[in-house]
Each structure stands twice: as C-alpha cells, then as structure tokens.
Amino acid sequence: MASYDVIIIGSGPGGYVCAIRCAQLGLKVACVEGRDTLGGTCLNVGCIPSKALLHASHMLHEAEHNFAEMGLKGKSPSVDWKQMLAYKQSTVDTNTKGIEFLFKKNKIDWLKGWGSIPEAGKVKVGDDVHEAKNIIIATGSEPAPLKGVDVDEKVVVTSTGALELGKVPKKMVVIGAGVIGLELGSVYARLGSEVTVIEFLDAITPGMDGEVQKVFKRMLGKQGIKFIMGAAVQKTEATKTKAKVTYKLRKDDSEHVVDADTVLLATGRKPYTDGLGLDALGVEMSERGMIKTDEHWQTNVKGIYAIGDAIAGPMLAHKAEDEGMAAAETVAGKHGHVNYGVIPGVIYTHPEVANVGETEESLKEQGRAFKVGKFSFMGNARAKAVFAGDGFVKILADKETDRILGAHIIGPAAGDLIHEVCVAMEFGASAQDLAMTCHAHPTYSEAVREAALACGDGPIHM
Ligand code: NAI
C-alpha cells in the first residue's frame, strides 16, 4: 500500500493534466488508468484519431476538387484504408506515449487497473488499496445508448467503432447531427460513402448560433451529406454486414426505413462512473447521472473531487483540462479558477466551425441589447487564394459598452481564430479593442478584425 497526496482516477485530458499540475505544485501523485495506454477517450478513441482521419480525408478532397485548378494535374490518389488506419494509430501512439513520458518526467505513479473508492481517503486498484489525502474522479463519459439501437461496434457503431471500420462503407447512416456525427460523417463522405444523417431536431448542432447552423448545413449538403431532419430513430435491425434504420418523421408520424452498411450512433454521451462505488460512499449525483460538485470541484464527501465529463457542463476535453488544473491548484491550497463563460467549442469539419460565449438567440432570450459585426471570408484575400472564401466571422458585442459577448466563426482555421476572441473576452475587451489591434496581412485573422470593425464604423473590405 502506498500513500499519496492525490490520487486521480482516469488519465484523459482532465485526469492527466490534473496529475501533471499536482506534481508541479509539489504534491505526491498517482493516476489510475485501466486502459493499456494513457490519455483516455480523447487520445485513444476520440479527438486525436478522428483528427487524423479528418486530415487524411481532407487531403483527398483537396486533391479531387482543387488540385487541377491550381495546376496540379494527374490522377487523384486512391484510398488505402489499411494504411490510413495505421497512420491514425501512429498519431494516437505518439500522443499516448507522450503522456507516459510526461508522467515519468513529473514522477507521477501510473496505477494500472480500474480504480474504486472503498472509503474516503482510499483507492482500490486490483487487490491493492492505496491511501490518498485527496481523490479526484476524472473518469469521463461513454456513448449514451438509444432505445431500439443495439451497438455491436461492427455494423452499428459508436464513435469508437467508427474509427476502425473494416472498410469504407458504401452507405452510412448517422443518427444525430451533433459534433461526432458531423465530424465522422464528413470523414466517410469524403472517402466516398453515401452519408445520410438523421436528426431529431429541425436544426443541426443544437445550441449553436442559428445562422451558423443554416450555413453549415448548406455547406455539408454541398459536400454530399444528406440530411433527414425532424426524425426520431426508432430502431435498427442489423445482420453481420448490413442494417436497416427505422425512423419516424415528427411532422406527420410517418414511419420510414433506410438501409446502411454502417450505422453510427451519435446521439450524445453520458458520464462514466460505473464501478467507482459512489453509491455506497453517498456521493450526490444529478438526475442525469453527473457527479454533483461545489465551486471548488469537491463532492459532498470531503476530500473527493470530480472534474470533466463526469460533472456538469460541456463535454469537452479542454473544459476538463481547465478543471483539472484548477482542481489541482485547489487541493494544493491555491485558488483554482475556470471561466465557464469563455470556453470555446470547435467542430473540425471543413470548413471548421467555432464559437465562444453568447449566441444571438441566448442574448435575445436574456433581453440584452447587442450589436452584430459580421464579415464574410469572401472579403479575405488569403481565404480566397486557397478556395476557402465560404463562411464568415460574427462578433456579438454589448450595444452600450461595446464589450465582446460572443463570437461565431465558420471558415478556414476557425478553431484557431476563435482564440483571439477568447483572449479578448478574458480581458473584458471591447470590439473596438480587437478592431484597433494590427493584424498581419494576408491572414485569415483579418476577417476577425473586420468583424470587430463591423461592430463600429464598418469593415474595410466589404
Ligand atoms: P450531441 O449532443 O452533440 O448531438 C446529438 C444529436 O443527436 C443532437 O442533435 C440530438 O438532437 C440528436 N438526437 C438525439 N436523439 C435522436 C434520435 N432518436 N434520432 C435522431 N437524432 C437524435 O452528441 P454527440 O455528437 O454524440 O457528442 C457527444 C459529446 O461529445 C458532445 O458533448 C460533444 O460536445 C462532445 N464532442 C466534442 C467534439 C469536439 O469538440 N470537436 C468532438 C466529439 C465529441
């Protein structure tokens, strides 16, 4: 039995970042992980492998659609799926090994196995019970099941199975037009699959700015993705190689069936807290299965904390990382803080979609007076030079004070561009502050400046 200042259960972005920060603050740390590799869902079967496939399939798309116009002639590349999966895996391996290296460097013990908490102050891994002054639960989430849909991870898959299909399917049905469905749907559409997305609501990507939702859907449609909106999936019936998906249209209750070689279930995720022993400990949970915490990420049981997907808030790796750092600082006697008003969201399709802060819809709901500054990438020279003139930047600012309240970007490198607005918001900047900041020419970021200018006297290139 070993004794630690902190034991973290789970080594995803929340857990491993928390462990490193704890070690940097001089605490004796261990991290429990039952997988063969560190990094959790994000590194092993989520954010990282999907980005590798998005990149590879985007390269193919560029070759097929834009090379000839740039004077790059020749046969388009064909897909060697086995090699693409090997490339994806090598990306994962480099990253998971990187975390193992950081653990060694920071003298963090990796307790291999699945952890449980027999009592406050103790963590059991296999037959060993370890002592910990503080326990931080960072066990993440798992795909939420859908009634009538039996996942076999071969024909009917979650994101995990979709990252290692035996072959590129001819027909793919995606259930749910959220982040996972659209990212992975894009991958397979670019690789030649006929992709149909079935969505319960009337708009894609719930919660996102309404104008972005519309433009985004139109762009994905142009890329060949078909949408069936306002449709509730009832069931799937699968054989070893094919499946039928039955859905009901909400407008008239009519029932329809579509065939698929692969069905991707992407209707949300739920906290993963199985086997931790939280019931017996009396740890309070919300109705939706999330661990309840106070503003210092502590549960109702003293010395037991929780962060990331297992607690309330957006299920995003970077939100978990921020909570991991803040919880580490809290247990080290410092003042951990997360600004939940400035957490960006990014969808890594092409073009990328990114947002931070309020939407026009949320501001209207709050009855707040605001102004909108918008700029199209059509007016951005750099974007036009690389076939990326579709999309726009929209900045929302307080009508009176000009303080930036939110930003929405659909276009090239949106996932990177959003961060200058995040930094501005962290400093309480006005749209004018952003507009007065010199931006290098020619860069995509000029579109952000132009949107900020549009909140004032107007953009230059529109
Ligand atoms: P989601 O919550 O983003 O979207 C699920 C969609 O499924 C919704 O549009 C919902 O209306 C629809 N739906 C629900 N039941 C349905 C039914 N019976 N028939 C048809 N449609 C139905 O969930 P998703 O995409 O599975 O992602 C899960 C979590 O993972 C999210 O919190 C997401 O933020 C996170 N994630 C984030 C990524 C990123 O930031 N790039 C990438 C992947 C996941």
Side-chain angles (χ1 to χ4, degrees), residues 46-47 50-51 54 141-144 146-147 149 159 174-184 197-206 228 230-234 247-248 265-270 309 313-318 344-349 353:
C47 328
S50 62
K51 258 76 276 170
L54 278 158
S141 60
E142 60 179 345
L146 184 66
K147 207 171 141 247
V149 177
S159 51
V174 176
I175 312 176
V179 187
I180 293 181
L182 298 183
E183 285 187 1
L184 289 172
V197 180
I198 306 179
E199 166 58 46
F200 180 77
L201 300 172
D202 297 321
I204 64 170
T205 54
I228 300 173
V233 168
Q234 308 293 306
Y247 64 90
K248 252 187 191 176
L265 176 65
T267 50
R269 298 179 63 86
K270 66 180 181 75
D309 285 9
M315 288 184 168
L316 297 171
H318 43 283
V346 179
I347 308 181
Y348 300 88
T349 43
V353 181

Side-chain angles (χ1 to χ4, degrees), residues 146-150 155-157 171-176 194-200 226 228 231-239 241-249 254-267:
L146 184 66
K147 207 171 141 247
V149 177
D150 290 325
V155 174
V156 183
V157 299
K171 280 188 185 176
M172 176 181 246
V173 167
V174 176
I175 312 176
E194 214 178 278
V195 176
T196 304
V197 180
I198 306 179
E199 166 58 46
F200 180 77
K226 204 177 140 206
I228 300 173
V233 168
Q234 308 293 306
K235 61 175 177 184
T236 53
E237 292 157 285
T239 64
T241 52
K242 286 202 179 315
K244 280 186 189 308
V245 182
T246 307
Y247 64 90
K248 252 187 191 176
L249 286 181
S254 59
E255 206 168 86
H256 306 260
V257 179
V258 277
D259 293 326
D261 302 301
T262 302
V263 179
L264 167 61
L265 176 65
T267 50

Side-chain angles (χ1 to χ4, degrees), residues 123-438:
V123 174
K124 189 166 184 269
V125 185
D127 293 332
D128 300 328
V129 178
H130 305 273
E131 275 182 356
K133 287 186 200 127
N134 301 283
I135 298 167
I136 300 180
I137 300 167
T139 46
S141 60
E142 60 179 345
L146 184 66
K147 207 171 141 247
V149 177
D150 290 325
V151 171
D152 57 22
E153 295 296 10
K154 294 267 182 280
V155 174
V156 183
V157 299
T158 66
S159 51
T160 306
L163 292 166
E164 50 187 20
L165 295 178
K167 58 176 189 209
V168 176
K170 207 162 164 296
K171 280 188 185 176
M172 176 181 246
V173 167
V174 176
I175 312 176
V179 187
I180 293 181
L182 298 183
E183 285 187 1
L184 289 172
S186 287
V187 166
Y188 287 101
R190 292 172 196 161
L191 295 179
S193 304
E194 214 178 278
V195 176
T196 304
V197 180
I198 306 179
E199 166 58 46
F200 180 77
L201 300 172
D202 297 321
I204 64 170
T205 54
M208 204 180 270
D209 175 89
E211 199 179 357
V212 173
Q213 286 177 330
K214 279 190 204 125
V215 171
F216 187 29
K217 181 164 171 266
R218 206 181 57 228
M219 286 180 177
L220 292 172
K222 270 200 207 160
Q223 292 169 24
I225 297 180
K226 204 177 140 206
F227 288 95
I228 300 173
M229 305 301 292
V233 168
Q234 308 293 306
K235 61 175 177 184
T236 53
E237 292 157 285
T239 64
K240 273 194 175 147
T241 52
K242 286 202 179 315
K244 280 186 189 308
V245 182
T246 307
Y247 64 90
K248 252 187 191 176
L249 286 181
R250 289 197 293 132
K251 61 176 184 203
D252 57 11
D253 236 20
S254 59
E255 206 168 86
H256 306 260
V257 179
V258 277
D259 293 326
D261 302 301
T262 302
V263 179
L264 167 61
L265 176 65
T267 50
R269 298 179 63 86
K270 66 180 181 75
Y272 180 73
T273 55
D274 293 359
L276 288 173
L278 300 185
D279 262 4
L281 282 164
V283 171
E284 277 182 36
M285 312 285 283
S286 75
E287 278 162 25
R288 298 179 59 206
M290 288 157 183
I291 301 172
K292 281 193 190 171
T293 57
D294 64 14
E295 66 275 28
H296 304 296
W297 303 278
Q298 189 162 214
T299 67
N300 61 316
V301 179
K302 200 168 171 288
I304 300 183
Y305 297 77
I307 58 169
D309 285 9
I311 69 170
M315 288 184 168
L316 297 171
H318 43 283
K319 175 256 194 189
E321 287 181 30
D322 278 24
E323 288 175 343
M325 279 196 277
E329 278 152 19
T330 302
V331 296
K334 294 174 170 273
H335 299 282
H337 176 71
V338 176
N339 181 0
Y340 286 101
V342 186
I343 294 182
V346 179
I347 308 181
Y348 300 88
T349 43
H350 190 78
E352 289 184 352
V353 181
N355 60 72
V356 64
E358 304 286 351
T359 60
E360 286 197 56
E361 292 77 15
S362 68
L363 288 170
K364 278 179 199 153
E365 237 169 66
Q366 295 164 47
R368 290 176 74 176
F370 64 95
K371 47 191 176 171
V372 181
K374 212 178 130 187
F375 187 79
S376 162
F377 278 103
M378 272 301 171
N380 180 275
R382 178 71 179 277
K384 275 192 297 188
V386 298
F387 308 99
D390 280 346
F392 58 84
V393 180
K394 185 199 271 190
I395 291 179
L396 308 173
D398 187 280
K399 191 155 196 176
E400 288 295 309
T401 65
D402 195 38
R403 190 181 174 135
I404 301 170
L405 302 172
H408 304 275
I409 308 177
I410 177 163
D416 290 301
L417 294 182
I418 197 72
H419 293 97
E420 75 165 292
V421 186
C422 294
V423 174
M425 287 174 75
E426 282 287 354
F427 282 85
S430 64
Q432 193 184 17
D433 289 327
L434 208 54
M436 286 174 69
T437 305
C438 184

